[in-house]
C-alpha cells in the first residue's frame, strides 16, 4: 500500500507537469502576420509498474501518446495495459481483414426494405459480413472502424460494390423481379476524387442499370459543406444513382446545405426508432425528421424496427418505409434469392 501511495503521488506530479506543458504549448504563435494555434499529445508511463527498461518505457509512452491523440480530451494519457491489448486486437483484425479480402472470406448479406402499410418488399440494403478464421460471422461494428483507419475500406468498399452488382446481374439473368438495392459508402471513400468514375466503371463492367441502386452516405460526409463533396454527389446522381442520407439525426448537417444536396431519402437512425415509444424526445425527433422529409419532398425510411408497435407509431406519423428484425434479419445472397422467388415484390 505504501508503494501504491507513492506511485499515486508521482502520477499527480506527472499530471501537473503534463498540464503545464500543454498549457504553455497551446499558446498561439505569431508567424507571417497570423496567429497559429498549437496542440500536443503527451504519453505518460511509470517505472517499474509499466516497464523495467528504457526501451519498453519509451514504447509504453508512445502508445499512451497515440491514445491521447485519439481521445482528444485532456491532451495526455497514462499508459495502461488495455492500450496494448486494444492495439493488439486492432493489429490482429487488420491482418484478418487483409487475409479475408484475398481469401474470399468476405460476404454480402441483404436485409429487405419493406412498405410498412402493405408489407411488400420494396428493396434491400447490402451489408458486409466477415467470416472469421474460427468460422464466426463477424459483424461490421467490429471491423469497419479498423478498415477505415487502416485504409482497407477502399478496396473492401470496391469489392462490396462489385459483388452486389454481380448478385443483381445474376438475379436479373434468372428472370427475377429485382427491387432497388442500397449500398453504404463510407466518409473515407469520399476522399477519393475518382469515386464517381470508379462507381461508373463498376456498373458498366457488371452491365446492370445504375437506376436500380441507392448509395447511402452518412452525415459525417456532409460536415463542413465543402463544394467538392457537393460536386461529387452531383456526379454520382448524374450517373443515375439515388442518394440517401443514412443514420440521419445522429450527426450534424446544416439544413441549408441539406437543401442543396442531390439526395432523395433520409433514413431515421435505429437509436431514435428504438427509443421513440418510451422517450418523448426520441418521438419528437422522429416526427421532426419525417416532417422535414415531407417539407423537402424527400422519402423517409426508418431502420431498426423490432416490434409491431413501432410500425404502427411510424405509420401514424407518416413514415411508410422501414427495415429491421421485426421483418427480416440480414440474409445471405442465396436466402435473399429465394425470397425474391417466393414473395411479391413492389
Amino acid at each position: 500500500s505504501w508503494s501504491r501511495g507513492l506511485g499515486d503521488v508521482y502520477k499527480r506530479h506527472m499530471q501537473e507537469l503534463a498540464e503545464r506543458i500543454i498549457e504553455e504549448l497551446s499558446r498561439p504563435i505569431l508567424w507571417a502576420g497570423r496567429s497559429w494555434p498549437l496542440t500536443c499529445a503527451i504519453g505518460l508511463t511509470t517505472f517499474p509498474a509499466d516497464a523495467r527498461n528504457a526501451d519498453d518505457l519509451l514504447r509504453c509512452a508512445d502508445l499512451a501518446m497515440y491514445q491521447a491523440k485519439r481521445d482528444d480530451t485532456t491532451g495526455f494519457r497514462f499508459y495502461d495495459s488495455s492500450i496494448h491489448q486494444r492495439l493488439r486486437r486492432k493489429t490482429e483484425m487488420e491482418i484478418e481483414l487483409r487475409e479475408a479480402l484475398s481469401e474470399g472470406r468476405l460476404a454480402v448479406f441483404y436485409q429487405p426494405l419493406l412498405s410498412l402499410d402493405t408489407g411488400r418488399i420494396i428493396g434491400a440494403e447490402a451489408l458486409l459480413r466477415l467470416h472469421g478464421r474460427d468460422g464466426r460471422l463477424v459483424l461490421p461494428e467490429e471491423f469497419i472502424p479498423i478498415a477505415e483507419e487502416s485504409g482497407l475500406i477502399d478496396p473492401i468498399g470496391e469489392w462490396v460494390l462489385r459483388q452486389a452488382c454481380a448478385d443483381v446481374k445474376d438475379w436479373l439473368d434468372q428472370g427475377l423481379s429485382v427491387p432497388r438495392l442500397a449500398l453504404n459508402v463510407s466518409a473515407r471513400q469520399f476522399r477519393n476524387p475518382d469515386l464517381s468514375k470508379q462507381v461508373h466503371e463498376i456498373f458498366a463492367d457488371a452491365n446492370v442499370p445504375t437506376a436500380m441502386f441507392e448509395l447511402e452516405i452518412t452525415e459525417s460526409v456532409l460536415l463542413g459543406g465543402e463544394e467538392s463533396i457537393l460536386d461529387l454527389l452531383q456526379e454520382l446522381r448524374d450517373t443515375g444513382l439515388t442518394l440517401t442520407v443514412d443514420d440521419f439525426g445522429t450527426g450534424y448537417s446544416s439544413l441549408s446545405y441539406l437543401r442543396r444536396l442531390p439526395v432523395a431519402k433520409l433514413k431515421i437512425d435505429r437509436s431514435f426508432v428504438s427509443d421513440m415509444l418510451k422517450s418523448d424526445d426520441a418521438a419528437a425527433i422522429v416526427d421532426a425528421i419525417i416532417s422535414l422529409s415531407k417539407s423537402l419532398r424527400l422519402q423517409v425510411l426508418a431502420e431498426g424496427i423490432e416490434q409491431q408497435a413501432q410500425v404502427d407509431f411510424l405509420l401514424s406519423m407518416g413514415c411508410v418505409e422501414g427495415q429491421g428484425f421485426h421483418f427480416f434479419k440480414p440474409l445471405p445472397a442465396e436466402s435473399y434469392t429465394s425470397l425474391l422467388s417466393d414473395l411479391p415484390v413492389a
Side-chain angles (χ1 to χ4, degrees), residues 303-315:
E303 55 185 354
I305 299 173
E306 296 186 352
Q307 52 182 292
Q308 183 61 39
Q310 293 170 338
V311 176
D312 298 337
F313 194 75
L314 289 164
L315 283 172

Side-chain angles (χ1 to χ4, degrees), residues 178-181 203 208-214 237 239-242:
V178 184
R180 67 179 185 266
L181 184 64
F203 282 109
V208 292
T210 55
M212 297 181 63
F213 294 84
E214 296 178 6
R237 194 185 72 165
T239 66
L241 293 162
T242 298

Side-chain angles (χ1 to χ4, degrees), residues 38-283:
L38 299 176
T39 61
C40 77
I42 300 175
L44 304 172
T45 187
T46 60
F47 170 88
D50 298 329
R52 294 180 177 272
N53 63 66
D55 288 341
D56 288 344
L57 280 169
L58 287 172
R59 193 174 296 112
C60 291
D62 196 42
L63 289 172
M65 180 191 67
Y66 280 106
Q67 188 63 44
K69 285 183 178 181
R70 285 193 292 269
D71 290 346
D72 193 28
T73 52
T74 61
F76 66 88
R77 177 71 183 263
F78 280 96
Y79 173 82
D80 64 71
S81 58
S82 64
I83 295 176
H84 182 74
Q85 292 168 1
R86 285 195 297 272
L87 181 62
R88 185 177 63 186
R89 286 196 297 269
K90 173 183 175 298
T91 302
E92 290 173 350
M93 180 55 73
E94 184 177 336
I95 292 171
E96 177 146 8
L97 280 172
R98 292 183 187 278
E99 292 177 349
L101 191 58
S102 62
E103 296 172 1
R105 288 194 284 110
L106 295 175
V108 179
F109 279 40
Y110 298 93
Q111 185 173 37
L113 314 176
L114 286 90
S115 169
L116 299 182
D117 52 355
T118 67
R120 293 169 66 91
I121 295 174
I122 58 173
E125 180 180 3
L127 299 167
L128 180 62
R129 297 291 186 266
L130 166 66
H131 292 287
R133 300 189 198 96
D134 58 0
R136 182 174 67 95
L137 197 62
V138 185
L139 299 179
E141 50 265 31
E142 296 184 51
F143 62 83
I144 288 296
I146 295 172
E148 291 184 336
E149 187 176 339
S150 65
L152 284 170
I153 194 65
D154 294 312
I156 288 175
E158 180 180 349
W159 179 88
V160 170
L161 187 55
R162 290 189 182 279
Q163 184 60 50
C165 286
D167 287 340
V168 168
K169 183 66 166 59
D170 183 52
W171 296 327
L172 292 173
D173 290 345
Q174 293 180 49
L176 299 175
S177 178
V178 184
R180 67 179 185 266
L181 184 64
L183 297 149
N184 293 283
V185 181
S186 76
R188 179 166 181 129
Q189 288 175 272
F190 269 86
R191 299 177 192 170
N192 178 7
D194 296 324
L195 178 63
S196 178
K197 179 182 177 182
Q198 181 188 75
V199 168
H200 179 74
E201 289 176 350
I202 290 173
F203 282 109
D205 291 344
N207 192 27
V208 292
T210 55
M212 297 181 63
F213 294 84
E214 296 178 6
L215 288 188
E216 296 188 354
I217 59 176
T218 61
E219 282 185 284
S220 60
V221 172
L222 314 179
L223 290 176
E226 292 90 348
E227 289 298 320
S228 59
I229 293 295
L230 189 62
D231 292 342
L232 179 54
L233 291 173
Q234 188 65 56
E235 289 176 12
L236 289 168
R237 194 185 72 165
D238 289 345
T239 66
L241 293 162
T242 298
L243 300 179
T244 299
V245 180
D246 194 16
D247 301 334
F248 188 77
T250 58
Y252 169 80
S253 55
S254 163
L255 294 184
S256 62
Y257 186 56
L258 178 63
R259 181 175 55 85
R260 299 170 56 206
L261 292 173
V263 299
K265 181 190 292 184
L266 303 180
K267 291 186 73 173
I268 306 172
D269 185 69
R270 65 182 65 249
S271 62
F272 301 126
V273 175
S274 175
D275 292 343
M276 66 184 184
L277 297 181
K278 54 190 177 185
S279 166
D280 291 341
D281 290 342

